[in-house]
Amino acid sequence: MNVVKASIQDVPQMHKLINDFANRGDMLPRALSQIYENLRDYFVIRHGGSVIGCAALHVNWMDLGEIRSLAVDGSRQHEGLGGVLVEACVEEARSLGLPRVFCLTRQPAFFSKQGFVPVDRAQLPHKIWAECYYCPKFPDCDEFALIREVQAPVPDATA
Ligand SMILES: CC(C)(COP(=O)(O)OP(=O)(O)OC[C@H]1O[C@@H](n2cnc3c(N)ncnc32)[C@H](O)[C@@H]1OP(=O)(O)O)[C@@H](O)C(=O)NCCC(=O)NCCS
């Protein structure tokens, strides 16, 4: 199943996928405007004309990226798609030169399987908490912070 960068046509389905889970309290909701404005952050997996998974890599700072809005359609979970989406985000972080990516999640066990380790929230820059105002649970946060080191690409010795 191919992971590709999202296009404008994907947005209505991404919006529904994310917000169906957000309505269950699994993740932060996203307005259509937020998805359009950050569209270049997003990857999708499409199947049969439908978006069945999405995830975003957002650049927070010179040394930090964030994986956001990871969602896999309920009928397609446990097929490896979530892991593939995370790897696409990590690979993009690597190609951009970001040394670390983090996530805020209620699924810490899933992210542990993807190589993330728990991190003290106090170690993350204050800038990232701006997002929290969009969370209906604010300020009673029940998310876990996890982080993963991203190895730099090996320089091409022939270049
Ligand atoms: C979390 C989510 C993205 C996982 O997607 P998925 O496609 O089912 O995950 P994968 O099939 O790639 O699973 C990869 C591994 O993680 C495990 N895993 C999947 N969901 C898990 C969970 N909730 N807790 C612990 N492990 C989990 C799988 O068993 C698999 O393990 P394995 O490699 O040993 O077989 C999906 O359940 C989802 O969309 N949930 C609702 C939205 C959400 O909570 N998103 C996260 C917001 S930050």
Side-chain angles (χ1 to χ4, degrees):
M1 207 71 73
N2 281 345
V3 183
V4 294
K5 292 298 283 188
S7 69
I8 289 287
Q9 290 75 17
D10 296 317
V11 173
Q13 290 187 60
M14 292 160 61
H15 181 248
K16 181 170 179 354
L17 185 61
I18 293 166
N19 289 299
D20 281 354
F21 286 122
N23 290 338
R24 293 184 353 189
D26 290 344
M27 58 199 293
L28 268 186
R30 294 286 175 203
L32 274 174
S33 60
Q34 290 175 302
I35 302 176
Y36 282 123
E37 286 170 15
N38 295 288
L39 187 60
R40 282 174 289 194
D41 285 357
Y42 282 88
F43 291 94
V44 291
I45 298 176
R46 305 186 192 107
H47 183 70
S50 297
V51 172
I52 58 171
C54 67
L57 174 75
H58 187 74
V59 178
N60 293 103
W61 199 241
M62 61 184 277
D63 58 356
L64 192 63
E66 178 181 1
I67 295 185
R68 293 177 171 178
S69 298
L70 170 66
V72 173
D73 185 277
S75 67
R76 301 303 302 260
Q77 292 182 2
H78 297 285
E79 295 180 26
L81 303 183
V84 168
L85 284 160
V86 168
E87 283 312 309
C89 292
V90 170
E91 192 49 47
E92 185 168 64
R94 183 177 290 118
S95 71
L96 289 170
L98 284 173
R100 298 181 302 160
V101 291
F102 80 100
C103 63
L104 295 169
T105 183
R106 296 181 187 111
Q107 302 290 345
F110 166 79
F111 279 96
S112 292
K113 287 201 164 185
Q114 311 306 318
F116 287 71
V117 294
V119 63
D120 181 354
R121 293 149 175 269
Q123 289 182 25
L124 299 172
H126 287 146
K127 184 177 180 297
I128 68 157
W129 306 115
E131 280 284 295
C132 299
Y133 297 115
Y134 297 111
C135 180
K137 298 191 181 181
F138 180 81
D140 300 318
C141 179
D142 60 359
E143 294 195 318
F144 296 84
L146 294 98
I147 199 159
R148 177 172 154 180
E149 301 293 325
V150 177
Q151 286 178 343
V154 179
D156 181 355
T158 62

